Amino acid sequence: MVIDEEHAYRVCSARDARFDGCFIHAVRTTGIYCRPSCPAVTPKRRNSRFFLTAAAAQSAGFRACRRCLPDATPGSPEWNLRADLAGRAMRLISDGVVERDGVSGLASKLGYSERHLTRVLTAELGAGPLALARAHRAHAARLLIETTELPFADIAFAAGFASVRQFNDTIRMVFASTPSDMRGRGKAPVGTPGRIVLRLPYRAPFDAEGLLTYFRAHALPGVEEVTDDSYARTMSLPHGEATVRLTFPADHVLCSLRLADVRDLGAAVSRVRRLLDLDADPVAVDTFLGADPVMGPLVRAVPGVRVAGSVDGAETLLRLVAPFEGVPLRVPDGALTHLYSAGDHPVTEALASGRLVVDVGRSIEDLTEELAHLVGAEVADEVAMRVLGAPDVLVLPETARHLASHGPEWRPWRSYAGAHLTRKAATS
């Protein structure tokens, strides 16, 4: 992927926050990289460099701006749009696969050799899997430093660093600061004992009510709890069980996590962001669909509609085809008492045996083709949309099936067109 540097510079000159997270602006004279909307004085064009990822900027010797905190932006919507190797790898890296399984594990999940994967990521994104994972670890460490009172040694290993020294060196390199200094200036909300509370950014507008409507219609007692202004659920993460409670203030999502193992923080945040579609570009979606005669009135009435995603690919599939069975939490959290589990079904057996894998590392084409043979095309499409964040899958409510012929006119945002129509059907 190639950045149009002249366009990128104009974006930075205008401090356009819509592009935060889409690319990185680095300044040669200061050695700092920023988000496009950084309020600092825009450097001269000849002193600007542009990167697709923070990892690429770090590999080139730049450190993060303390003023705009470029790693605290919404992620790039590119990773949902791209179904290629680089996009699939980025989704798995953000879920912590490199920390858990190493680069060899990442390559194995993607079906390529380590050498080929490194070559592709370096060519496409400016950094290899190790550098991309290091940027992910630095971001997870910053969250823990600024939002918890955990000892720094615990944070180092929880974020995936091999040693405290590596943790300290990376923090100094990426943030030009020490962990002690970062903790002193942290302004994030403070959690209650046993909880980590974070602010999750997104690109406005954001239709929280539409997501709550969807979650309310599909909630499983004991696994999920939906109120007028909040959503909570249990999660099964790589290192243990967890619960998450989400509320929706005006300009961010407030996320309260209870983790059995703090090493799951990065995976939990990544999955919650995907569940809420927080990395979407609603302006691009609404501008396109708003010009359509059918969708225009819906977009103008409710801008910023999101497509509800998934915290667990296997769960999302099984909820569509298999009977529900709950597994009790070791420590209940209010109304949250059970982890999701499914009863006997051929898909349950296929998932348990490893013959079927449903996760963010799958390509859309391969997953939908495999699932279509097992559970039918409609279920396959919905799983691809919710698990992989596929933006161009048409899933319509029963009351809007007669509009299916309009599908080609809504490409490449058919998933969002379906979400608008589903929202309208649920509130009519």
Side-chain angles (χ1 to χ4, degrees):
M1 182 179 175
V2 178
I3 297 175
D4 182 337
E5 296 199 351
E6 295 305 320
H7 178 256
Y9 184 74
R10 291 195 295 271
V11 167
C12 295
S13 298
R15 298 182 176 85
D16 193 334
R18 292 176 300 169
F19 292 86
D20 287 353
C22 296
F23 66 87
I24 294 294
H25 180 206
V27 185
R28 300 176 193 270
T29 51
T30 63
I32 289 173
Y33 69 86
C34 304
R35 63 172 76 187
S37 67
C38 182
V41 175
T42 305
K44 294 180 179 179
R45 172 66 184 87
R46 64 175 179 270
N47 292 326
S48 294
R49 289 186 66 185
F50 302 96
F51 299 93
L52 279 173
T53 63
Q58 294 165 20
S59 296
F62 294 92
R63 64 184 186 274
C65 175
R66 297 185 188 181
R67 187 172 183 180
C68 71
L69 296 176
D71 69 318
T73 61
S76 173
E78 194 72 20
W79 310 130
N80 283 349
L81 300 178
R82 294 178 64 161
D84 60 3
L85 177 58
R88 293 160 55 205
M90 282 297 289
R91 293 197 292 266
L92 287 172
I93 289 170
S94 70
D95 195 57
V97 167
V98 173
E99 282 72 28
R100 296 192 298 271
D101 304 324
V103 175
S104 61
L106 174 66
S108 177
K109 282 181 174 290
L110 293 167
Y112 291 89
S113 69
E114 292 183 51
R115 182 177 180 181
H116 180 71
L117 175 63
T118 299
R119 183 168 60 247
V120 169
L121 293 182
T122 301
E124 291 279 326
L125 307 178
L130 283 176
L132 292 163
R134 181 181 61 183
H136 176 262
R137 287 195 294 271
H139 176 56
R142 185 186 68 80
L143 290 176
L144 290 169
I145 290 168
E146 296 184 351
T147 62
T148 76
E149 296 299 323
L150 286 172
F152 293 139
D154 292 349
I155 289 175
F157 294 110
F161 291 98
S163 68
V164 174
R165 179 177 180 178
Q166 185 189 63
F167 161 72
N168 286 325
D169 289 347
T170 299
I171 294 300
R172 280 194 293 268
M173 185 195 75
V174 174
F175 301 111
S177 184
T178 66
S180 297
D181 289 341
M182 292 176 67
R183 175 160 282 174
R185 66 172 184 264
K187 298 179 181 179
V190 178
T192 58
R195 288 192 179 276
I196 298 173
V197 181
L198 310 169
R199 292 189 179 100
L200 305 182
Y202 55 75
R203 296 177 182 86
F206 177 70
D207 175 35
E209 181 55 41
L211 285 170
L212 287 171
T213 298
Y214 175 85
F215 294 143
R216 189 176 296 113
H218 298 84
L220 292 173
V223 175
E224 296 166 289
E225 180 186 19
V226 188
T227 70
D228 289 342
D229 59 0
S230 71
Y231 172 69
R233 66 157 296 147
T234 62
M235 293 191 292
S236 183
L237 297 174
H239 296 101
E241 64 185 35
T243 63
V244 60
R245 295 183 179 276
L246 304 167
T247 55
F248 305 89
D251 60 352
H252 63 273
V253 175
L254 198 62
C255 171
S256 174
L257 287 161
R258 193 189 73 177
L259 304 172
D261 191 318
V262 75
R263 288 179 296 173
D264 282 327
L265 175 66
V269 171
S270 174
R271 295 180 189 198
V272 169
R273 293 194 65 83
R274 295 187 67 79
L275 175 70
L276 302 180
D277 198 15
L278 295 186
D279 294 329
D281 183 352
V283 174
V285 175
D286 289 355
T287 298
F288 181 85
L289 292 180
D292 179 80
V294 175
M295 298 305 305
L298 301 182
V299 172
R300 288 187 287 275
V302 186
V305 162
R306 296 304 208 267
V307 176
S310 167
V311 297
D312 186 301
E315 176 191 315
T316 299
L317 169 59
L318 289 170
R319 287 176 69 152
L320 294 171
V321 299
F324 166 65
E325 290 182 4
V327 175
L329 285 178
R330 290 188 302 106
V331 182
D333 186 359
L336 303 178
T337 57
H338 287 73
L339 291 170
Y340 178 83
S341 179
D344 290 337
H345 190 278
V347 171
T348 311
E349 298 172 7
L351 289 165
S353 68
R355 290 185 288 110
L356 174 63
V357 176
V358 182
D359 65 20
V360 295
R362 298 295 306 271
S363 72
I364 295 171
E365 293 79 9
D366 288 348
L367 182 61
T368 52
E369 181 179 355
E370 187 174 359
L371 288 180
H373 292 299
L374 290 172
V375 293
E378 289 190 8
V379 170
D381 284 345
E382 182 157 0
V383 171
M385 180 178 71
R386 302 206 182 282
V387 175
L388 304 182
D392 194 31
V393 177
L394 189 60
V395 177
L396 295 173
E398 193 66 37
T399 56
R401 294 291 175 89
H402 63 286
L403 296 174
S405 60
H406 291 266
E409 301 162 19
W410 299 333
R411 306 191 74 166
W413 304 114
R414 290 184 295 171
S415 298
Y416 292 89
H420 271 285
L421 293 167
T422 298
R423 191 189 193 290
K424 179 184 178 184
T427 56
S428 295

